[in-house]
Amino acid sequence: MLEANQNKPKRFVESNSKRNEQEVCYMKFKFGMQKVLDHRQIKMDLARKDYLEAQAFLADEQKKLQEMIDVKNRSLTQRSSLAGQATGWQEQVNQINHFLTLQDLRIAQQNERLLKIEKVVESRREILKDALTEVKIMERLKEKKKADFLQEVREKEAKELDEIASTRFVRTTKA
């Protein structure tokens, strides 16, 4: 008896309770909009990549701004220490003052640049958010369709089992 069962496909050897799950495995679910889902996932991945690149660029520019501020602060410290010297400090202090004026301009330009970059980062964040929403919608639709498919398969199996049971009942009552 065991050898005969080994020749049969696995789904016929399993008990009826496991049969439902086995047949579901043999009857593959195919999502009709899988290509759309794949496209949206690729779009989301690209949006994520763009967002992360923009964020990294923003971080680099913020680091440059901080370096400019640090250089300015060191120059202020150097100017203060030069002012305490007895001779020859006036020319150096004038050079430092000129540098500080230009450094303030560079810092202001960098702040303007950071504002523009922050807007770009925010727009890319919105694009990523929209792409994530589109993917989630498609994934929910896929799960709903899969659940409907599984319910339909269960109903078909129940109908087949009812037909088999009624056929057996008819055979046993005729005999």
Side-chain angles (χ1 to χ4, degrees):
M1 182 74 169
L2 184 60
E3 292 174 13
N5 285 342
Q6 288 178 348
N7 293 334
K8 291 184 180 180
K10 234 181 182 181
R11 66 180 172 163
F12 296 115
V13 177
E14 300 292 329
S15 67
N16 282 342
S17 63
K18 290 185 178 179
R19 181 174 178 241
N20 293 343
E21 297 301 321
Q22 288 293 326
E23 281 192 21
V24 169
C25 292
Y26 288 110
M27 297 177 71
K28 292 280 185 171
F29 169 71
K30 184 168 180 168
F31 183 51
M33 298 181 75
Q34 185 63 41
K35 288 187 179 184
V36 174
L37 175 60
D38 293 342
H39 174 73
R40 288 186 180 180
Q41 286 174 333
I42 290 169
K43 186 177 169 184
M44 179 195 65
D45 290 340
L46 291 173
R48 180 177 287 136
K49 179 182 164 261
D50 289 344
Y51 171 69
L52 292 175
E53 285 175 356
Q55 245 186 345
F57 185 67
L58 176 65
D60 289 342
E61 293 300 313
Q62 286 173 334
K63 186 177 177 184
K64 287 179 185 177
L65 175 65
Q66 188 57 46
E67 289 171 359
M68 289 178 185
I69 292 170
D70 291 343
V71 167
K72 178 184 172 185
N73 289 336
R74 284 194 302 268
S75 296
L76 285 171
T77 305
Q78 184 181 10
R79 183 180 71 179
S80 298
S81 66
L82 284 176
Q85 293 179 356
T87 57
W89 58 271
Q90 292 169 342
E91 182 61 31
Q92 290 177 341
V93 168
N94 285 337
Q95 288 177 353
I96 291 173
N97 285 338
H98 181 67
F99 172 78
L100 289 173
T101 304
L102 293 176
Q103 192 68 359
D104 285 338
L105 288 173
R106 286 186 208 107
I107 289 172
Q109 289 172 347
Q110 186 68 11
N111 280 327
E112 290 174 13
R113 190 170 180 196
L114 282 175
L115 289 174
K116 291 176 184 176
I117 295 170
E118 286 172 354
K119 287 179 183 177
V120 169
V121 169
E122 187 59 35
S123 70
R124 292 194 178 166
R125 180 181 295 128
E126 287 298 318
I127 291 169
L128 176 60
K129 184 178 137 187
D130 293 343
L132 280 168
T133 303
E134 289 176 5
V135 168
K136 285 181 183 180
I137 288 169
M138 292 302 294
E139 287 175 344
R140 275 190 241 125
L141 179 63
K142 180 179 179 179
E143 290 302 317
K144 184 177 183 242
K145 295 285 186 181
K146 188 173 184 177
D148 292 345
F149 171 78
L150 292 175
Q151 182 64 30
E152 187 178 313
V153 167
R154 287 185 195 106
E155 288 172 2
K156 284 180 183 178
E157 288 178 352
K159 186 176 179 181
E160 288 175 14
L161 290 174
D162 287 344
E163 288 177 17
I164 292 171
S166 63
T167 305
R168 283 186 184 168
F169 178 73
V170 171
R171 284 185 195 164
T172 57
T173 55
K174 288 185 179 179

